[in-house]
Amino acid sequence: MSTNSVKKYSGGIFFAALTIGVYLLYIYYGKIFAKNISLHGQEKVYLYIPTGSDMHDLEKIITDANFLLNESSFWWMVEKKKFTHVKPGKYTVRDGMTNSELVNILRAGAQTPVMVKVPSVRSKAVFAGTIARQLEVDSTDLVRLLYDEGFLENKGFTVETVLGAFIPETYEMFWNQDAEIFFDKMMK
């Protein structure tokens, strides 16, 4: 083989390797940094992940939300970032987010707080229902605590006085509060 042939052959291999490298860089860059969330004209939506959810539940929640442009690239990112533990809560998803951004907020559990409006009511059932419509908490769990004399005594209240503990106001909390955590936050 002549020197010119070796140079041409080496140049061809170098060009092919460079082309493949650029192509792979383009593919991986797109999976990591390209916008992969389209909210179809909305600026943001909320993703609610219930307590006890696992990765299969998260996959269904995200699939049903129908905002991923390329699902396989998102799940590739989930795998690469070793995101395996689902954290419940309410999360803000913004139009134009990247796979990396969405995985980061879900993996970190970076929830969006909920502004809970505590009503002025006389009925424990109405109170519990109003709170349960704003948080993940079960209204029957709230009602149970509102009538639990031992629990209320530890908080300094009775069944008759407990509704007076809830000052009608707006409070910032996380969506995935259970009944006892809700009470503890309200008592503070």
Side-chain angles (χ1 to χ4, degrees):
M1 222 189 233
S2 71
T3 330
N4 281 342
S5 295
V6 170
K7 285 182 182 178
K8 286 181 184 179
Y9 182 72
S10 297
I13 291 175
F14 174 75
F15 181 73
L18 181 63
T19 302
I20 291 169
V22 168
Y23 175 74
L24 291 175
L25 182 64
Y26 171 77
I27 295 295
Y28 288 111
Y29 178 86
K31 287 182 177 185
I32 298 169
F33 300 111
K35 295 176 181 181
N36 194 36
I37 309 278
S38 175
L39 300 179
H40 315 290
Q42 294 179 285
E43 181 182 320
K44 64 184 175 183
V45 296
Y46 297 107
L47 193 64
Y48 293 90
I49 302 173
T51 300
S53 295
D54 60 17
M55 291 304 286
H56 295 291
D57 298 321
L58 179 64
E59 185 173 355
K60 180 172 178 8
I61 291 165
I62 288 178
T63 299
D64 290 349
N66 195 32
F67 54 65
L68 291 177
L69 297 172
N70 182 329
E71 283 191 39
S72 66
S73 70
F74 174 77
W75 296 109
W76 176 87
M77 179 59 61
V78 164
E79 183 181 314
K80 293 302 172 199
K81 288 196 173 226
K82 297 179 181 9
F83 172 38
T84 58
H85 180 70
V86 177
K87 296 178 181 172
K90 173 186 176 184
Y91 296 91
T92 301
V93 177
R94 298 192 183 285
D95 189 48
M97 287 178 81
T98 67
N99 290 326
S100 186
E101 290 170 328
L102 181 56
V103 170
N104 287 345
I105 65 166
L106 295 174
R107 191 172 77 167
Q111 293 187 52
T112 301
V114 176
M115 301 308 291
V116 177
K117 293 180 180 149
V118 173
S120 174
V121 296
R122 294 180 187 256
S123 163
K124 291 177 180 75
V126 171
F127 174 80
T130 302
I131 299 304
R133 281 190 293 280
Q134 299 173 73
L135 300 172
E136 183 186 31
V137 67
D138 188 313
S139 62
T140 56
D141 289 342
L142 280 173
V143 169
R144 181 185 51 78
L145 288 179
L146 290 169
Y147 285 100
D148 184 332
E149 291 176 358
F151 176 80
L152 294 175
E153 186 178 319
N154 286 336
K155 303 291 182 192
F157 295 96
T158 66
V159 172
E160 293 78 26
T161 64
V162 68
L163 284 181
F166 302 103
I167 299 168
E169 186 64 63
T170 302
Y171 300 89
E172 185 176 286
M173 297 183 181
F174 288 119
W175 174 76
N176 60 317
Q177 306 290 308
D178 68 18
E180 289 191 29
I181 292 173
F182 171 76
F183 268 90
D184 288 343
K185 288 189 182 272
M186 292 304 299
M187 296 304 120
K188 289 179 182 173

